[in-house]
Amino acid sequence: MNYFIEALKKYAVFSGRARRKEYWMFALFYMIIAIVVVIIEAAIGGQILSILLTVAFFLPGLGVTVRRLHDTGRSGWWVLFALVPLVGSITLIVFMCLDGEQGENKYGYNPKLAPSYA
């Protein structure tokens, strides 16, 4: 849960690096929250909660994705590759699963060497 909160605190930080655990924990908690919101909306009707959730988590999700790409040594602009149908999304998922570069890279220090939130 701390990784999710940390990603929300860095909602507009597009510099630095994010380890795999931070990215995937953010994705997991986002999906859990989204499922709960969809269930609530099915019970009461409407879609305003889903729209609010999407707007609220757009910048934190983009920020953690860019930082994750930085950890693998890639530019944050690779996030635009998701616009390519099918191939783009699959490629980004593979990038998100790759281990980060060992040591320091041009985007900052290795987050694995920093104190853990777990």
Side-chain angles (χ1 to χ4, degrees):
M1 185 72 176
N2 289 334
Y3 286 102
F4 181 74
I5 300 297
E6 191 65 26
L8 290 178
K9 286 180 183 177
K10 297 179 183 177
Y11 74 94
V13 176
F14 299 101
S15 61
R17 296 168 63 173
R19 42 190 304 200
R20 276 184 295 194
K21 190 171 187 177
E22 181 180 352
Y23 175 81
W24 288 110
M25 292 304 278
F26 178 84
L28 173 68
F29 282 105
Y30 176 75
M31 290 305 297
I32 291 170
I33 293 168
I35 290 170
V36 169
V37 165
V38 166
I39 291 170
I40 291 171
E41 285 182 340
I44 63 173
Q47 291 182 335
I48 189 70
L49 294 177
S50 293
I51 293 169
L52 290 175
L53 180 73
T54 302
V55 170
F57 288 122
F58 177 73
L59 276 180
L62 184 62
V64 76
T65 302
V66 167
R67 290 192 310 273
R68 180 71 199 122
L69 286 167
H70 287 173
D71 191 43
T72 62
R74 291 172 178 81
S75 168
W77 289 104
W78 272 94
V79 80
L80 296 177
F81 199 60
L83 298 174
V84 177
L86 191 64
V87 175
S89 298
I90 293 170
T91 303
L92 282 180
I93 289 172
V94 169
F95 287 166
M96 297 300 124
C97 292
L98 293 176
D99 195 16
E101 289 185 340
Q102 299 299 320
E104 192 169 334
N105 68 12
K106 66 181 179 179
Y107 300 106
Y109 65 92
N110 187 347
K112 285 186 178 180
L113 302 177
S116 177
Y117 295 108

